[in-house]
Amino acid sequence: MKPFTYERANSVEAAAKAAASVQGARFIAGGTNLLDLMKLQIETPTHLIDVNRLGLDRIEKTEEGGLRIGALVRNTDLAADTTVRRDYGVLSRALVAGASGQLRNKATTAGNLLQRTRCPYFYDIRMPCNKRKPGSGCGALKGMSRSLAILGVSDACIAQHPSDMAVAMRLLDAQVETMGADGTKRAIPIADFHLLPGETPHKETVLNAGEIITSVTLPKPVAGTHVYRKVRDRASYAFALVSVAAIFGKDGTARFAFGGIGAKPWRTAEADAAASEGAKAVAQAALAGARTTEHNDFKRPLVERTLASLYRQQEARA
Amino acid sequence: MKFDTPAGPNPIDKGRVIGIAHDRIDGPAKVTGTAAYAYERHDAAPNAAYGWIVGSAIAKGRIAAMDLTAAEASPGVLGIVTHANAGKLSKGNMNTAHLLGGPQIEHYEQALALVVADTFENARAAAALVRIDYAPEDGKFDLAAERLNGVIPPQGFGGPADTKAGDFDGAFAKAAVKVEQTYTTPDQSHAMMEPHASIAAWNGDKLTLWTSNQMIAWSVGDMAKTLGIPKENIRFVSPYIGGGFGSKLFLRADALLAALGARQVGRPVKVAIARPQIPNNTTHRPATIQRIRIGADKDGVIDAIAHEVWSGDLPGGGAETAAQQTRLLYRGENRMTAHRLVTLNLPEGNAMRAPGEAVGLLALEVAMDELAEACGVDPVELRIRNDVQFDPEAGPQRPFSSRKLVECLRAGADRFGWQRRNPKPGQVRDGRWLVGMGMASAFRNNLTEKSGARIGVDGSGKVIVETDMTDIGTGSYTIIAQTAAEMLGVDLDQVTVRLGDSRFPVSAGSGGQWGANSSTAGVYAAAMALRAKLAEKAGYAAEQAQFEDGLVRMGNQSQTLASLAGAQGLWAEDSMEYGDLDKKYAQATFGAHFCEVGVDMDTAEVRVRRMGGAFASGRILNPKSARSQVIGAMTMGVGAALMEALDVDTRFGFFVNHDMAEYQVPVHADIPHQDVLFVDELDDKSSPMKAKGVGELGICGAGAAVANAIYNATGIRLRDYPLTIDKLLKAQAA
Ligand SMILES: Cc1cc2nc3c(=O)[nH]c(=O)nc-3n(C[C@H](O)[C@H](O)[C@H](O)COP(=O)(O)OP(=O)(O)OC[C@H]3O[C@@H](n4cnc5c(N)ncnc54)[C@H](O)[C@@H]3O)c2cc1C
Ligand code: SF4
């Protein structure tokens, strides 16, 4: 770990301003991702701005009948919230499918959205990695890529976005609310929040320097059966090989979002439109443009099969 | 004391303390955090500086240039050890690669420098500033590609590389039913909880090392050899070890570099090998390719059996002896086994829990399942039909010392409800789960090693045992205390056990599942000597003296241990050595594993639903700690079957998934229910304890039972471990 300075911000505005004014500053929330990366010198911030005590830890109803989730709400608290459990079951289920109890107690809404990839070459600083060191090449593309993405990837990077929570939020059409260094607020649809790697895999979101996430809002609840299915190599405490978040409506409609396969939480209108045609059609629509390696091509059939499993359960329920 | 004839009745047979389930006597210290592990010995070595290892970024080649300027100028740095300033170093007998590399580089993450600083963070930050220019060379990293270059490996613990009896080729050609398949197992990491860690302190030319090491005497010897100093000048202290599974059998970089760092900076230095460094810096279980051929009659009775194994290691390394069990497990007059070793420039391969059998049975016991199906014989029955009560390579003149495989198979099958299994694959469904049952035999050699101890009684009648034996979480403290209590007729809480200090008599150490039986036999020997001294002091004939209730009795006379020991206390030291009973008799431990899995009919996720096993390992010294060993090993077997694999990047020559997020081992949710039965057995040819090893038996065959259950659930036969979703999906599509 490189030496760094630390401050505890006492207002959102001050935090954003401080972050923009110090070169190499970073916010720290639960620290469950950032600190690990700092220990390995994958992240080397010069200054940490602690955002834990800014009062961003509340969950409240919005005027539109939705929910505003503070950026610092812990994953555990969010998963256990009664409104979330009743009206946004897919989010609660996605959260508890992630990490471990201890980690979820620390992990926050904003930190989870911004967690970085689990590509093993990203994690070994002696290896080439365009995301960690732009221009150094991609170690994974012709290396071990079993866990990596097949959608939204580029020649520069095939890293997966590892979050479970973000997949459910993508399904729910969440908006990420932020405040910029100059005090301006904006609301970014989650679909636009994460960037695809393209030529610049080190740029992961549309956030500007100093811009702080204040909350994530969910629109009105979507009726139907909320499910989150995460397929992984062991029963718990592992990142998704493939995950599917879905809401099945009573009328045969459904919507889907996918984890473990995309450079960002993945959702397409075409997949939703194919809902009435069943798992195969949905998978085909969702996987349009997929690009696989010899190690991760199993994710194609696995997407279809995970969907098939959800359809089967849905039929059993009906 | 020499053990060269079968044991007769002896004080251990009383079974007052031995054979009773006891909590681990070191348990309270461990769960309350008062058991100080190596890296935490601030009490013994105050003011220790921190060392951080700089590992090689290439697998093979040379250091072209090394620039320490920036690192040396970094805050808090006290010194940097490299090959250039470490002085002349040799290599330990047990090490394949040098623990401090340079200028030659032998593998990825080989230690090239140790940065010593006043704080951990300063050491780590400065380590990142060490600049190394490399001159890389091409290496070999692909076992499958190198297979044909295999040579006969040197002989290790597993006996000769090749064995044969009868005429395998002829008999196999004529066999009515044949199985011929190739299986592969990947490189695996020990993934023990506590990383390798040491604190070193010099006092003049005397070195003390607080460390985490399974084999004290081996490692003291290798430290002496590496540094070129007398063994007498070195003291190792390793009372608590947070797991090892074989990765701490040897002197490793933490120990050597702590010693070198402490010598350079003139103050104690502590070094831990960081978790992401462990898989590439230390040892691992090597990958194997295994070819098995079995020829049987139509009833499944084996006439010909062959097992050939290929594995790789660095130059000068050894083979994974995965054909070991095939020499002894089943009948058949015509047989051969062979091991071939190829040179790979991956990190050093070496022992991991049940080296040989753990992966050998992953292949053999699936081949047996394939034979059972080919013959239409129940897998349990097949194994019973092929039982053999003597070493089938040597013939009836070399019987087993004890062998209760058939009893284990029958008892295990009963308890598990094996008869409910549908032999036709893919027939049983429970909701979304395809359900299957599988089984496998368990087999692990029984090794006995010379082991010494010193035992004393103090003026208050309390008993103290000292030996350099280690407790790697296995329960050594407890069974040694039980042995002493049994031998001297005192209660368990009257015994203090001190372990893991090189000032104590040399023991067998913890490895190869020989530790429990051998180390307690050493305590037995010392206790016999002490009993003789006590009896003599009491004026009783040693053979007639009875030791019970803290008294030495003869007839209706008695004296207390306390009074006989006197204020000075009374001590005795001895060791147990072994004659040739292991030559006259084949010695091994046996068992049977049963497993039920569910395989998701859509996603091919495999979940173990329950496991059961029956095991015969001679006298079970402490059923509670023995059960812990077995269920832990069964869990590791599940890991081997379903998820554990170090992924080799054959371009860069390293294990890619080198942390605990990416190298997956089972978590609690993977292991719902395990049942363990110990079948009664005493083995009088193994040791006076009449015990055998048990710490590794549980992993042997467990993974094959999982694999066979997957086949029974799905009809898919996978032969390349681990049996992951991607492979199941591919096989299903094919
Ligand atoms: C062993 C392990 C297993 C895991 N398994 C899973 C899993 O299965 N599924 C899963 O989804 N996740 C998993 N995770 C990841 C975990 O969910 C994330 O580490 C966690 O959500 C990050 O949240 P945090 O608050 O700790 O973020 P931090 O580490 O504090 O921050 C992460 C990033 O977010 C930035 N940031 C934080 N707050 C703000 C803000 N308000 N505005 C702007 N930027 C901000 C920080 O600057 C930093 O760049 C796992 C993590 C570990 C260590
Ligand atoms: S896939 Fe992306 S993160 Fe992984 S090595 Fe390539 S560039 Fe780096």
Side-chain angles (χ1 to χ4, degrees), chain B residues 80-323:
Chain B
I80 301 178
V81 178
T82 69
H83 73 278
N85 65 20
K88 188 178 172 314
L89 298 177
S90 307
K91 197 175 70 177
N93 293 330
M94 303 285 178
N95 296 127
T96 306
H98 293 81
L99 298 177
L100 176 63
Q104 212 65 43
I105 293 169
E106 292 151 292
H107 62 86
Y108 193 81
E109 201 78 82
Q110 183 177 26
L112 301 181
L114 182 82
V115 177
V116 182
D118 57 347
T119 68
F120 176 79
E121 286 74 18
N122 278 339
R124 188 171 54 184
L129 299 173
V130 171
R131 289 281 152 263
I132 304 175
D133 293 334
Y134 295 98
E137 290 161 24
D138 289 340
K140 296 187 178 359
F141 309 113
D142 186 341
L143 174 62
E146 295 301 316
R147 172 177 173 169
L148 296 178
N149 299 325
V151 299
I152 295 178
Q155 182 161 342
F157 279 96
D162 293 3
T163 60
K164 60 190 282 198
D167 167 23
F168 171 78
D169 289 330
F172 184 68
K174 288 200 295 263
V177 183
K178 292 178 197 172
V179 169
E180 177 170 5
Q181 290 294 351
T182 298
Y183 307 82
T184 66
T185 64
D187 297 287
Q188 293 177 343
S189 190
H190 305 81
M192 67 290 160
M193 229 189 285
E194 180 203 27
H196 306 74
S198 300
I199 304 181
W202 290 86
N203 185 356
D205 57 0
K206 302 249 186 324
L207 169 67
T208 305
L209 201 82
W210 294 268
T211 190
S212 183
N213 189 289
Q214 298 175 230
M215 299 293 295
I216 302 300
W218 285 4
S219 299
V220 167
D222 271 354
M223 181 71 101
K225 183 170 179 229
T226 307
L227 294 176
I229 65 173
K231 274 202 286 210
E232 296 66 42
N233 288 0
I234 301 174
R235 181 180 167 204
F236 269 43
V237 186
S238 184
Y240 298 116
I241 298 162
F245 304 126
S247 78
K248 296 174 182 165
L249 289 168
F250 319 110
L251 187 75
R252 298 301 320 168
D254 57 310
L256 177 65
L257 289 171
L260 293 171
R263 189 159 74 182
Q264 190 183 95
V265 304
R267 98 186 218 203
V269 167
K270 56 161 77 180
V271 179
I273 304 182
R275 181 66 68 184
Q277 298 176 325
I278 290 175
N280 286 292
N281 177 276
T282 72
T283 60
H284 65 276
R285 190 202 299 279
T288 64
I289 299 171
Q290 304 182 44
R291 178 182 184 222
I292 294 183
R293 286 170 291 167
I294 309 177
D297 69 16
K298 61 180 186 356
D299 299 322
V301 177
I302 297 172
D303 186 39
I305 184 164
H307 194 158
E308 296 155 274
V309 181
W310 291 263
S311 64
D313 203 357
L314 288 165
E320 181 66 27
T321 52

Side-chain angles (χ1 to χ4, degrees), chain B residues 452-677:
Chain B
R454 156 157 93 216
I455 183 165
V457 180
D458 71 11
S460 63
K462 290 203 186 333
V463 174
I464 301 134
V465 188
E466 295 177 340
T467 159
D468 85 354
M469 179 61 188
T470 49
D471 188 322
I472 60 175
T474 40
S476 311
Y477 277 104
T478 314
I479 55 170
I480 285 172
Q482 287 174 267
T483 306
E486 193 77 84
M487 293 298 290
L488 295 176
V490 300
D491 287 340
L492 194 58
D493 61 8
Q494 296 299 298
V495 184
T496 302
V497 179
R498 300 187 188 128
L499 300 182
D501 190 321
S502 58
R503 292 182 313 184
F504 300 154
V506 173
S507 73
S510 299
Q513 85 167 4
W514 62 59
N517 182 38
S518 300
S519 71
T520 53
V523 174
Y524 173 96
M528 288 303 274
L530 184 61
R531 284 165 62 115
K533 279 193 184 175
L534 287 162
E536 188 190 317
K537 243 188 146 175
Y540 305 154
E543 313 77 59
Q544 282 156 37
Q546 300 288 320
F547 290 73
E548 49 197 26
D549 305 329
L551 303 171
V552 188
R553 267 207 190 94
M554 193 169 73
N556 48 15
Q557 305 172 20
S558 71
Q559 296 179 53
T560 64
L561 290 180
S563 64
L564 290 169
Q568 307 295 304
L570 197 60
W571 285 82
E573 178 176 335
D574 200 359
S575 60
M576 186 63 74
E577 287 180 75
Y578 295 85
D580 62 356
L581 283 175
D582 64 340
K583 307 252 166 358
K584 288 188 188 142
Y585 298 91
Q587 295 193 11
T589 60
F590 296 88
H593 286 283
F594 297 84
C595 177
E596 181 180 300
V597 301
V599 181
D600 188 289
M601 56 190 296
D602 291 305
T603 62
E605 290 159 284
V606 179
R607 297 289 178 257
V608 171
R609 293 158 70 100
R610 60 193 182 98
M611 305 178 87
F615 304 92
S617 287
R619 190 195 301 277
I620 300 301
L621 303 173
N622 179 347
K624 185 165 188 176
S625 53
R627 178 179 180 276
S628 290
Q629 283 301 296
V630 171
I631 63 174
M634 285 161 81
T635 302
M636 231 163 161
V638 172
L642 297 181
M643 60 193 87
E644 288 188 45
L646 288 166
D647 299 326
V648 183
D649 185 316
T650 54
R651 303 163 306 168
F652 297 107
F654 79 123
F655 300 128
V656 180
N657 51 339
H658 52 66
D659 62 32
M660 295 297 287
E662 299 294 322
Y663 184 85
Q664 295 192 7
V665 298
V667 294
H668 285 91
D670 291 300
I671 309 294
H673 181 74
Q674 295 171 316
D675 175 60
V676 174
L677 173 76

